[in-house]
Amino acid sequence: MTYKTDIEIARDAQKRPIQEIGAKLGIGAEDLLPYGHDKAKVSQSFINSVQDRPNGKLVLVTAINPTPAGEGKTTTTVGLGDGLNRIGKKAAICIREASLGPNFGMKGGAAGGGLAQVVPMEDMNLHFTGDFHAITSAHNLLSAMIDNHIYWGNELEIDIRRIVWRRVLDMNDRALRQITASLGGVANGFPRETGFDITVASEVMAILCLARDLADLQERLGNMIVAYRRDRSPVFCRDIKADGAMTVLLKDAMQPNLVQTLENNPAFVHGGPFANIAHGCNSVTATTTALKIADYVVTEAGFGADLGAEKFMNIKCRKAGLAPDAVVLVATVRAMKMNGGVAKADLGEENVAAVEAGCPNLGRHLANLKSFGVPVVVAINHFVTDTEAEVKAVQDYIAAQGAEAIECRHWAMGSEGIEDLARKVVELAEGGTSAFAPLYPDDMPLMKKVETIAKRIYHADAVLADKSVRNQLAAWEEQGYGHLPICMAKTQYSFSTDPNLRGAPTGHSVPIREVRLSAGAGFVVVICGEIMTMPGLPRIPSAESIRLNDDGQIEGLF
Amino acid sequence: MTYKTDIEIARDAQKRPIQEIGAKLGIGAEDLLPYGHDKAKVSQSFINSVQDRPNGKLVLVTAINPTPAGEGKTTTTVGLGDGLNRIGKKAAICIREASLGPNFGMKGGAAGGGLAQVVPMEDMNLHFTGDFHAITSAHNLLSAMIDNHIYWGNELEIDIRRIVWRRVLDMNDRALRQITASLGGVANGFPRETGFDITVASEVMAILCLARDLADLQERLGNMIVAYRRDRSPVFCRDIKADGAMTVLLKDAMQPNLVQTLENNPAFVHGGPFANIAHGCNSVTATTTALKIADYVVTEAGFGADLGAEKFMNIKCRKAGLAPDAVVLVATVRAMKMNGGVAKADLGEENVAAVEAGCPNLGRHLANLKSFGVPVVVAINHFVTDTEAEVKAVQDYIAAQGAEAIECRHWAMGSEGIEDLARKVVELAEGGTSAFAPLYPDDMPLMKKVETIAKRIYHADAVLADKSVRNQLAAWEEQGYGHLPICMAKTQYSFSTDPNLRGAPTGHSVPIREVRLSAGAGFVVVICGEIMTMPGLPRIPSAESIRLNDDGQIEGLF
């Protein structure tokens, strides 16, 4: 059997006009702001009109620590949405938007895969509805206004050595990581060091994804700290008077984008914050809107459950007043084998012992997720080389942990291949067993919150932090930021801070390198290891082979 | 009598769905790619389908040298389009898109004014359909790929001191005019000086506006010179292999945008190159498409006729094979008075003598335009303080030059106020008297072309150029660029290079400061004076007062 590639499948998609997709959720054509015939934004007035409705069920899809074998988290999210629709539930999915820049480095990303994809794939990987461009503009307007303020006299007494607000571009451009700006003489300002991050790393992105509405957006933008004075007192975005104009630039970007799956079911694709220095979830507005108009909303969080689900629970759910009714933990036999020590080249061989040896990584994520008080089911995302014995090994392991692991074939079969998981999710969500609670209360001291995550989620023995880090956290507590949740930035490849430590390590410690305050987004970023906020291009960037073919189709992007 | 502000009028606009506007030109709903309910791009397949049709009549609206009094060129363009529709002609207008960045510096720009406006004004002054963002992305992808090429070994042997391709942002940000990039060590590349221009100054913008189709776009992008080697040989965009991916990024941006006037007539708003270092006209694709589906296409060119119309004729018409059937030269009594020496504060007083003293500026533009072989009519854009005697003074002056000056009241009255001009334009265009020819042939030497423009259009005595400039022009001729037209970059406020020299100066000379080759756009830029390609923000940027009001409307942008 030969399979079509993702892009071939996507190109063959029998897309329905976006108005038909909206109608499935009761959104009238007048409340859809179309972008072409297959994309639309949902109007603010419609969003306002549904606020008093009860919420549907919220399902989080998360995964084990990612391996080079691939787990298929987004594919499963899309497949489950289709599966729920197949068994008669009005379901919508909520996923993140793709960043433009990285597509020109490595081969670009689809939204899902196989028969579980969201379309139009090309648009979603290019400019889509312009949300990220709006974020870039809003971010850089603030940057320009800061330097402009200094140029015209610096009434706020900003210390130009302590400006923490950089600039952004949605481009992989290592040359901009560190620059000296305002060179060239008096007319160009005061020379100073600064640099660019990629747009998805902007605090504006995190804020857009956490803000409840435009008023909340402006409030949060105003709260951002952009610089410090010589006396270390903070200068806020509000002091620069940029928050109003930034909100105007972000007005349309705040409205969720509606597209469709290959099976013509509704998919909200909105927001895309970094999953390390930010919380890595799609927008609150998309999720809360979808919950008002769908019976089931299936969403996902970035990276593995130790980072993504933890932040989904402790940041997004806490801030937005959400509670997941069920969690799907995605694993693959191949990934279990890699956790069990098998090299990528040997993944095609049956190896039940390696599967069993890798299962503890899955088991720990399962236990962690349960500790949030939510019912969890494991999805084994089927791959063609999986053997029955290998699948059974995973299922037996999970059964021994008191849960169920269900094999899913949505990649090859679409919704038909994921009916069992859909039924199980409905059983869990409607069983009323969810008793969700975040891992730590707001009023726990910041350092204690970090330790709670490190011990309860990472199963580390200790958190290591210099005095300067501890002092900084204490200072923020004094300044009134002690109630904020923690946003951990560590490797996604391990429970520990060592990317090579697979499985379910114990006895490790979590060294904190640096802490940052995202006062607008509303979290404290705790950085454990190298975090790259501006990627570079590889030796042969995929851009070199991206082009339009003679039929006007895009080649080389996927 | 009190008048509403432009923004109040625009907000009260009775917009029709964009599909209705498209239908007026025979564009079916399936061939309109909507952006919201009031904006759309015209599909490439529709554009392809009308190529064999005959062209409608092309009318250029240009103006005297701009004064602080304002002339109302765009207002007249919009009004004339409405006026032609009013008298039964199927007319469309073609104007440029607005740049986002400058709106956050000074109060932003409307598209037209009074009852002669294009809507939706807010969107057009913000992200619109994302064309400029696409240009920013495409430009900066090339920038990143150049530095990336050097980082990975510099196989092309680029001299990092001679990289001429900078970066762009659609933002007024003086801090980025001159920077040192690639700082921070080995992983970030080789430190070098560079900087950012505003997006509208990008050669990519000029190319988008001159390209006939996507294949031509890619060809021109590939032709751009991005750097030189130590032996001074050029390195092209094509060598960097960025042209294909840039074309993919610009695919949608190449499709003309359709919006509407306040009177619900079709308006194409597409492209917006700088009017000094580029040619300052809307896109060739918009103009040529409009000509296939409308009886009359009214378009405009940047700045006064000495710069804008000259480039429209010698660059855009030459390259696109267009020929204007009639030209409208816009003037105001107030501007005549300023040319006649009256200060702005005193413009409200009747002063016939000053009007007469200022008329030679208008007269010279009229004579210049006639020298292209096209019939010309003068439009006196009425202002409330104009007196009958003042208007008559202009009309008498123009009559003595063998032309007609028609008073227009479209600002206050809409199409009803501009019927006379519309009828005159039809008379001229259908009179068949146009015998358009560019000012100089392709095969004239570059320096001779500059002299031709300087003497015939600016009425200067001489062109002053250093040996280095002359050598550079000669070198380009040897390299095969001698056939290119000239793109003059000089002050728009005077026929001369001295912005304070109003009226119709003689005896002046044109000193060339610098020449630049835009090998992709296909012209040689001749710079006479300071040209700012990255504006700064003023002491109190308008961004400080731009915000959403309680009704969700944008305040402070206009």
Side-chain angles (χ1 to χ4, degrees):
Chain A
M1 181 165 179
T2 59
Y3 292 96
K4 289 190 194 173
T5 65
D6 287 353
I7 178 67
E8 285 168 345
I9 293 170
R11 280 186 190 153
D12 288 348
Q14 302 296 311
K15 283 182 293 187
R16 304 301 311 160
I18 197 62
Q19 290 78 8
E20 276 186 35
I21 309 302
K24 291 189 178 191
L25 297 175
I27 312 172
E30 68 286 359
D31 282 318
L32 286 175
L33 296 160
Y35 284 68
H37 299 295
D38 51 9
K39 306 176 288 295
K41 284 187 169 283
V42 181
S43 78
Q44 192 59 51
S45 57
F46 177 82
I47 295 173
N48 295 343
S49 74
V50 297
Q51 289 309 308
D52 291 337
R53 298 189 191 174
N55 279 342
K57 301 291 185 187
L58 179 60
V59 180
L60 173 70
V61 176
T62 183
I64 57 171
N65 292 98
T67 71
E71 288 66 50
K73 193 172 51 187
T74 303
T75 303
T76 303
T77 303
V78 176
L80 180 57
D82 284 338
L84 286 164
N85 275 289
R86 184 180 184 90
I87 64 169
K89 299 296 177 185
K90 188 163 73 173
I93 67 162
C94 285
I95 60 175
R96 287 165 294 165
E97 297 180 57
S99 183
L100 177 73
N103 288 332
F104 295 94
M106 311 299 274
K107 256 170 125 54
L115 294 183
Q117 294 188 55
V118 174
V119 285
M121 191 207 269
E122 286 97 334
D123 291 357
M124 289 172 57
N125 282 285
L126 291 169
H127 308 293
F128 198 34
T129 60
D131 294 343
F132 287 16
H133 291 317
I135 290 167
T136 303
S137 292
H139 183 116
N140 291 336
L141 173 61
L142 174 55
S143 312
M145 288 177 76
I146 294 167
D147 279 305
N148 190 59
H149 176 87
I150 296 164
Y151 177 84
W152 287 106
N154 197 10
E155 204 176 310
L156 291 168
E157 298 182 340
I158 292 169
D159 183 343
I160 68 163
R161 304 164 306 174
R162 293 196 173 99
I163 298 171
V164 292
W165 192 256
R166 290 157 52 93
R167 287 171 173 80
V168 296
L169 274 185
D170 195 357
M171 190 60 63
N172 289 20
D173 192 348
R174 68 170 69 74
L176 294 178
R177 283 176 191 153
Q178 195 172 330
I179 69 171
T180 311
S182 298
L183 299 173
V186 171
N188 297 350
F190 296 84
R192 67 180 186 87
E193 287 181 40
T194 182
F196 283 71
D197 297 319
I198 194 162
T199 298
V200 286
S202 168
E203 188 175 350
V204 177
M205 172 68 86
I207 288 176
L208 185 98
C209 292
L210 287 170
R212 289 185 308 277
D213 52 34
L214 287 167
D216 187 34
L217 177 77
Q218 180 161 349
E219 173 72 21
R220 287 167 179 273
L221 292 172
N223 289 342
M224 295 190 302
I225 294 172
V226 300
Y228 295 88
R229 298 183 182 84
R230 289 195 76 138
D231 67 4
R232 307 294 178 96
S233 63
V235 177
F236 296 93
C237 168
R238 182 174 296 111
D239 301 325
I240 302 292
K241 298 180 186 154
D243 48 328
M246 291 172 78
T247 303
V248 167
L249 280 167
L250 294 168
K251 176 176 64 76
D252 297 340
M254 266 293 282
Q255 295 170 236
N257 306 299
L258 181 67
V259 288
Q260 63 192 289
T261 68
L262 291 176
E263 299 192 9
N264 311 125
N265 291 313
F268 291 98
V269 180
H270 193 218
F274 250 32
N276 42 43
I277 61 157
H279 61 295
C281 307
N282 77 296
S283 78
V284 163
T285 54
T287 304
T288 54
T289 301
L291 282 169
K292 296 296 181 189
I293 56 181
D295 300 332
Y296 275 80
V297 174
V298 185
T299 189
E300 62 166 345
F303 295 155
D306 54 324
L307 280 168
E310 186 269 307
K311 293 179 190 180
F312 176 84
M313 307 288 195
N314 284 321
I315 299 177
K316 181 171 175 176
C317 286
R318 180 194 305 263
K319 300 227 170 209
L322 297 172
D325 296 282
V327 175
V328 174
L329 175 58
V330 181
T332 57
V333 164
R334 289 158 62 87
M336 290 300 97
K337 275 195 253 191
M338 284 200 100
N339 266 292
V342 175
K344 194 175 178 188
D346 302 327
L347 288 175
E349 306 283 307
E350 175 173 283
N351 190 337
V352 174
V355 169
E356 286 169 347
C359 274
N361 182 272
L362 174 60
R364 182 180 283 177
H365 285 296
L366 175 65
N368 282 349
L369 289 165
K370 283 183 173 175
S371 73
F372 284 95
V374 291
V376 186
V377 57
V378 171
I380 305 174
N381 184 14
H382 178 77
F383 195 82
V384 284
T385 56
D386 297 354
T387 71
E388 260 181 55
E390 290 173 327
V391 171
K392 186 161 183 307
V394 180
Q395 289 177 321
D396 289 348
Y397 177 90
I398 292 301
Q401 314 282 315
E404 193 175 341
I406 297 175
E407 195 182 27
C408 304
R409 295 178 180 246
H410 46 285
W411 184 85
M413 297 168 67
S415 64
E416 192 187 345
I418 199 170
E419 271 194 35
D420 291 347
L421 181 71
R423 289 187 207 286
K424 182 68 187 180
V425 163
V426 170
E427 179 196 319
L428 293 178
E430 295 184 359
T433 58
S434 181
F436 169 74
L439 197 64
Y440 51 80
D442 287 354
D443 61 3
M444 184 185 278
L446 292 171
M447 195 62 202
K448 186 88 186 143
K449 287 174 183 165
V450 179
E451 287 168 357
T452 302
I453 295 167
K455 291 183 179 170
R456 299 260 312 266
I457 301 294
Y458 307 160
H459 298 246
D461 282 353
V463 174
L464 308 177
D466 282 351
K467 192 158 181 300
S468 66
V469 164
R470 290 177 187 273
N471 287 350
Q472 179 63 77
L473 293 176
W476 287 334
E477 282 168 352
E478 271 176 41
Q479 289 161 27
Y481 296 111
H483 65 290
L484 294 182
I486 301 296
C487 181
M488 296 297 290
K490 74 155 183 67
T491 178
Q492 68 266 39
Y493 298 112
S494 171
F495 277 104
S496 76
T497 56
D498 175 359
N500 299 312
L501 214 53
R502 292 210 174 118
T506 52
H508 55 103
S509 54
V510 176
I512 301 179
R513 169 191 291 240
E514 182 192 344
V515 288
R516 294 183 196 166
L517 176 58
S518 290
F523 48 67
V524 171
V525 184
V526 173
I527 298 175
C528 313
E530 286 275 10
I531 298 297
M532 172 64 70
T533 51
M534 174 52 97
L537 292 170
R539 180 183 287 271
I540 301 181
S542 65
E544 291 189 5
S545 45
I546 293 174
R547 61 180 185 85
L548 294 178
N549 66 21
D550 292 341
D551 298 328
Q553 294 170 322
I554 299 167
E555 299 284 353
L557 186 55
F558 310 98
Chain B
M1 182 167 180
T2 59
Y3 291 95
K4 289 189 194 175
T5 64
D6 287 352
I7 179 67
E8 285 168 346
I9 294 170
R11 279 186 191 153
D12 287 348
Q14 302 296 311
K15 283 182 293 187
R16 303 301 312 161
I18 196 63
Q19 290 78 8
E20 275 185 36
I21 308 302
K24 291 189 177 190
L25 297 175
I27 311 172
E30 69 285 359
D31 282 319
L32 286 175
L33 296 160
Y35 284 68
H37 300 295
D38 51 10
K39 307 176 288 295
K41 283 186 169 283
V42 181
S43 79
Q44 193 58 51
S45 57
F46 177 81
I47 295 172
N48 295 344
S49 73
V50 297
Q51 290 308 308
D52 292 337
R53 298 190 191 174
N55 279 342
K57 301 291 186 188
L58 179 60
V59 181
L60 174 70
V61 176
T62 184
I64 56 171
N65 291 100
T67 71
E71 288 65 50
K73 192 172 52 187
T74 303
T75 302
T76 304
T77 303
V78 176
L80 179 57
D82 284 337
L84 286 164
N85 275 290
R86 184 180 183 90
I87 65 169
K89 299 296 177 187
K90 188 164 73 173
I93 67 161
C94 284
I95 60 174
R96 285 166 294 165
E97 297 180 56
S99 183
L100 178 73
N103 288 332
F104 296 94
M106 312 297 275
K107 255 170 127 57
L115 293 184
Q117 294 188 55
V118 174
V119 285
M121 191 207 269
E122 286 97 333
D123 291 356
M124 290 172 56
N125 282 286
L126 291 169
H127 308 292
F128 198 34
T129 60
D131 294 343
F132 287 16
H133 291 316
I135 290 167
T136 304
S137 292
H139 183 115
N140 291 335
L141 173 62
L142 174 55
S143 311
M145 288 176 76
I146 294 167
D147 279 303
N148 190 60
H149 175 86
I150 296 164
Y151 177 82
W152 287 106
N154 197 10
E155 205 176 308
L156 291 169
E157 298 182 339
I158 292 169
D159 183 344
I160 68 164
R161 302 164 308 173
R162 293 196 173 99
I163 298 171
V164 292
W165 193 255
R166 290 156 52 94
R167 286 172 173 80
V168 296
L169 275 184
D170 195 358
M171 190 59 63
N172 289 19
D173 192 348
R174 68 171 67 75
L176 294 178
R177 283 176 190 153
Q178 194 171 330
I179 68 170
T180 310
S182 298
L183 299 173
V186 171
N188 297 350
F190 297 84
R192 67 180 186 87
E193 287 181 40
T194 183
F196 284 70
D197 297 319
I198 193 163
T199 298
V200 286
S202 169
E203 188 176 350
V204 177
M205 172 69 85
I207 288 176
L208 185 98
C209 292
L210 287 170
R212 289 185 308 277
D213 52 34
L214 287 167
D216 187 34
L217 176 77
Q218 180 162 349
E219 173 72 20
R220 288 167 179 272
L221 292 172
N223 289 343
M224 295 190 302
I225 294 172
V226 299
Y228 295 89
R229 299 183 183 83
R230 289 194 75 139
D231 67 3
R232 308 293 179 97
S233 63
V235 177
F236 296 93
C237 169
R238 183 174 296 113
D239 300 326
I240 302 292
K241 298 180 186 155
D243 49 327
M246 292 172 77
T247 303
V248 167
L249 281 167
L250 295 167
K251 177 174 63 78
D252 297 340
M254 266 293 282
Q255 295 170 237
N257 305 299
L258 182 67
V259 288
Q260 62 192 291
T261 68
L262 291 177
E263 299 191 8
N264 310 124
N265 292 312
F268 290 98
V269 179
H270 194 219
F274 249 34
N276 42 43
I277 61 156
H279 61 294
C281 307
N282 77 297
S283 78
V284 163
T285 54
T287 305
T288 55
T289 300
L291 282 169
K292 296 296 181 188
I293 55 182
D295 300 332
Y296 275 80
V297 174
V298 185
T299 190
E300 61 166 346
F303 295 155
D306 54 325
L307 279 169
E310 185 270 307
K311 293 180 192 181
F312 176 83
M313 308 288 195
N314 284 321
I315 299 177
K316 181 171 176 177
C317 286
R318 180 194 305 262
K319 300 229 170 209
L322 297 172
D325 297 282
V327 175
V328 175
L329 175 58
V330 181
T332 58
V333 164
R334 289 158 61 87
M336 291 299 95
K337 274 195 255 190
M338 284 200 98
N339 266 291
V342 175
K344 193 174 178 189
D346 302 326
L347 287 176
E349 306 282 309
E350 176 173 281
N351 190 336
V352 174
V355 169
E356 285 168 350
C359 274
N361 182 272
L362 175 60
R364 181 180 283 178
H365 285 296
L366 175 64
N368 283 349
L369 289 165
K370 283 182 175 176
S371 73
F372 285 95
V374 291
V376 187
V377 57
V378 171
I380 305 174
N381 184 14
H382 178 79
F383 195 82
V384 284
T385 56
D386 295 354
T387 70
E388 259 181 58
E390 290 174 326
V391 170
K392 188 163 182 306
V394 179
Q395 289 177 321
D396 288 349
Y397 177 89
I398 292 301
Q401 313 285 315
E404 193 175 340
I406 297 174
E407 196 182 27
C408 304
R409 295 177 180 249
H410 46 284
W411 184 86
M413 297 167 69
S415 63
E416 192 187 345
I418 198 169
E419 270 194 38
D420 290 347
L421 182 71
R423 287 187 208 287
K424 181 67 186 179
V425 162
V426 169
E427 180 195 318
L428 293 178
E430 294 183 1
T433 58
S434 180
F436 169 73
L439 196 64
Y440 52 79
D442 287 354
D443 61 4
M444 184 184 277
L446 292 170
M447 194 63 202
K448 186 88 187 146
K449 288 174 183 166
V450 178
E451 286 168 358
T452 302
I453 295 168
K455 291 182 180 172
R456 298 261 312 267
I457 302 294
Y458 308 159
H459 298 245
D461 282 352
V463 173
L464 309 177
D466 283 350
K467 193 158 181 298
S468 66
V469 165
R470 290 177 188 272
N471 287 349
Q472 179 62 77
L473 293 177
W476 286 334
E477 282 168 353
E478 271 177 43
Q479 289 162 26
Y481 295 111
H483 65 290
L484 294 181
I486 301 297
C487 181
M488 296 298 290
K490 72 157 184 68
T491 177
Q492 68 265 39
Y493 298 112
S494 171
F495 276 104
S496 75
T497 57
D498 174 359
N500 299 313
L501 215 52
R502 293 212 173 117
T506 52
H508 56 103
S509 54
V510 175
I512 300 179
R513 169 192 292 240
E514 182 192 345
V515 287
R516 294 183 196 168
L517 175 59
S518 290
F523 49 67
V524 171
V525 184
V526 173
I527 298 175
C528 313
E530 286 274 10
I531 298 297
M532 173 62 71
T533 51
M534 174 52 98
L537 292 169
R539 180 183 288 272
I540 300 180
S542 66
E544 290 189 5
S545 45
I546 293 174
R547 61 179 184 85
L548 293 178
N549 66 22
D550 292 341
D551 297 328
Q553 293 170 323
I554 299 167
E555 299 285 355
L557 185 56
F558 310 97

